[in-house]
DNA sequence: ATAGAGATTAACCAAATAGTCAAAAAAACT
DNA sequence: AGTTTTTTTGACTATTTGGTTAATCTCTAT
């Protein structure tokens, strides 16, 4: 009876506030780092008084954890599973496309993730050790099968996965640098398509699939 | 008479202390971010009292600037200039090799740089707008020449440069993730060679040069 | 030896910041 | 309408931290 409370009415204000806070916090954590992002600055960006922030999240670290969790959920959705049934060509095409889409649609998530890893993955060690390691192992094995079957060139599957990750995420993480170098203010809609096209062509060729 | 002081004896202690401080600061800035790295923590890591740090660098921001400058100098050396006379194959080989070497020899420099860019390049805007933009434009033009001459496949030169940057730097910036996923404690010597080999093969193939 | 420049360091301070609290306002429920 | 629960918010506090100061020490040159 009282179990569903969280989802019914009471949850609405809470959910709204939490979302506003998390969005503000994500930006502040990117721009200022964990320590540099003050609860006050998050409050200001969210347009709420500081004490209200601490009412929804017990403390600053909880905010950060929530932001990270949100980021991992997004990673999970956006990863674009590699499907064995597709065969190497289509599988790689799909994988690249969904990773590029993630980078252009949610650059902030990618940036938070990147910062966390660069700083030593203090909060993601567990995620990397379990979930991620298994994911990479599985997909690498799949690539290896295709290689053994002569369906693609002999490329080290692990390094191939790293290559796809790095190239696709680069457009999110290094957004600022790319835009500055290209003398542009923002990405345009066609940029995503153009990048997808470039990476797909290039990587398929690298895999001997084109 | 007193002009050469800095280089003679008195400069020795100063140079030594500054180097120790910069090394400590670099690590702290990576691990904790700018705001999270306290002068005290830098002092502890350098094995010096806090007041001594502030004696050599007027304030915390000066320390950070010095670390960044050091990083850019290293970038400058390690960039491995692309030589037009080499032709595309050798030029790309050389470029990849020197970037990979940088990533394995000086991962911290790469990490500092990456964080700065992710955080909006507050302190590197000028560098990117002038030096970097020109560098990329020049090299892109060179690639274009080779393409027009039919010496390599038609790949967008800008995206090619970004691809080489992202893939090579990934081994420095995401060191923690790669090691965790591969279930390893440290890079071995042969890793650098193996990665160089992989990337060279793959990218040359992508450029239609193999 | 000794004067003077540079180096070291403990003690101190003002500002910033995470987190608490209590009281009031708003919403939800009966 | 009244009661309870949730939300909002200003005021307060303990702690951390960047930076200063002044006193001492060390080194070098004459």
């Amino acid at each position: 009876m009282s179990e569903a409370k969280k989802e019914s009415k009471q949850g609405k204000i809470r959910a709204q506030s939490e979302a506003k806070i998390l969005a503000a916090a994500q930006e502040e954590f990117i721009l200022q780092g964990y320590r540099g992002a003050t609860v006050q600055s998050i409050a200001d960006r969210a347009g709420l008084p500081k004490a209200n922030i601490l009412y929804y999240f017990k403390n600053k670290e909880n905010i950060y954890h929530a932001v990270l969790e949100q980021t991992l959920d997004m990673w999970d959705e956006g990863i674009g599973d590699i499907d064995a049934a597709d065969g190497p060509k289509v599988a790689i095409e799909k994988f690249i496309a969904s990773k590029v889409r993630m980078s252009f649609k949610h650059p902030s998530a990618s940036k938070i993730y990147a910062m966390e890893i660069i700083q030593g993955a203090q909060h993601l060690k567990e995620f990397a050790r379990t979930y991620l390691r298994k994911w990479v192992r599985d997909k690498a094995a799949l690539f290896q099968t295709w290689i053994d079957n002569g369906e693609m060139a002999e490329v080290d599957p692990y390094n191939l996965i790293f290559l796809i990750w790095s190239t696709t995420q680069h457009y999110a993480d290094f957004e600022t640098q790319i835009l500055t170098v290209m003398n542009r203010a923002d990405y345009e809609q066609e940029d995503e398509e153009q990048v997808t096209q470039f990476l797909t062509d290039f990587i398929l060729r690298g895999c001997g699939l084109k």
Side-chain angles (χ1 to χ4, degrees), chain A:
Chain A
M1 212 192 240
S2 59
E3 298 299 316
K5 267 204 288 191
K6 299 264 173 56
E7 324 308 328
S8 66
K9 284 288 153 56
Q10 273 144 59
K12 219 195 294 187
I13 277 190
R14 178 166 219 106
Q16 246 173 357
S17 290
E18 284 180 356
K20 237 193 305 187
I21 294 166
L22 285 184
Q26 188 179 50
E27 282 310 302
E28 284 298 317
F29 284 134
I30 291 171
L31 255 32
Q32 313 290 343
Y34 175 75
R35 198 65 187 299
T38 67
V39 178
Q40 185 63 62
S41 72
I42 294 171
D44 291 346
R45 187 181 286 266
L48 297 170
K50 187 181 77 162
N52 205 349
I53 308 289
L54 276 313
Y55 166 72
Y56 282 109
F57 297 88
K58 265 166 276 304
N59 53 43
K60 188 172 158 182
E61 214 188 320
N62 274 333
I63 306 178
Y64 187 65
H65 280 145
V67 169
L68 269 192
E69 210 164 307
Q70 197 187 229
T71 303
L72 289 191
D73 286 351
M74 198 163 284
W75 190 91
D76 219 36
E77 289 173 35
I79 187 64
D81 209 18
I82 295 186
D83 190 348
D86 282 332
K89 184 148 181 287
V90 173
I92 289 174
E93 280 171 354
K94 279 191 190 172
F95 185 41
I96 292 172
S98 55
K99 290 289 288 176
V100 171
R101 189 167 315 120
M102 273 280 291
S103 278
F104 280 84
K105 293 286 180 290
H106 306 287
S108 294
S110 187
K111 285 176 188 172
I112 284 279
Y113 184 84
M115 289 184 60
E116 183 62 29
I117 298 291
I118 292 173
Q119 299 200 328
Q122 296 299 309
H123 302 82
L124 294 180
K125 274 261 159 69
E126 197 51 28
F127 169 78
R129 192 164 15 226
T130 57
Y131 190 104
L132 200 58
R133 186 185 289 166
K134 179 169 164 32
W135 190 93
V136 174
R137 198 192 319 117
D138 289 351
K139 300 317 166 194
L142 185 51
F143 281 129
Q144 193 58 56
T145 313
W146 284 328
I147 292 170
D148 293 342
N149 284 358
E151 294 183 69
M152 59 182 282
E154 277 203 31
V155 291
D156 179 66
Y158 282 93
N159 283 312
L160 175 59
I161 292 170
F162 296 151
L163 181 140
I164 296 176
W165 275 355
S166 60
T167 50
T168 50
Q169 286 175 355
H170 187 71
Y171 292 89
D173 302 340
F174 282 62
E175 191 184 12
T176 312
Q177 173 168 286
I178 291 177
L179 289 172
T180 305
V181 164
M182 305 295 277
N183 202 11
R184 299 259 301 278
D186 287 295
Y187 285 137
E188 308 289 341
Q189 284 157 330
E190 61 259 36
D191 288 330
E192 182 187 327
E193 299 156 34
Q194 202 240 316
V195 166
T196 307
Q197 191 63 54
F198 167 81
L199 286 178
T200 306
D201 283 359
F202 196 94
I203 293 171
L204 285 183
R205 211 174 308 130
C207 292
L209 289 169
K210 207 157 194 184

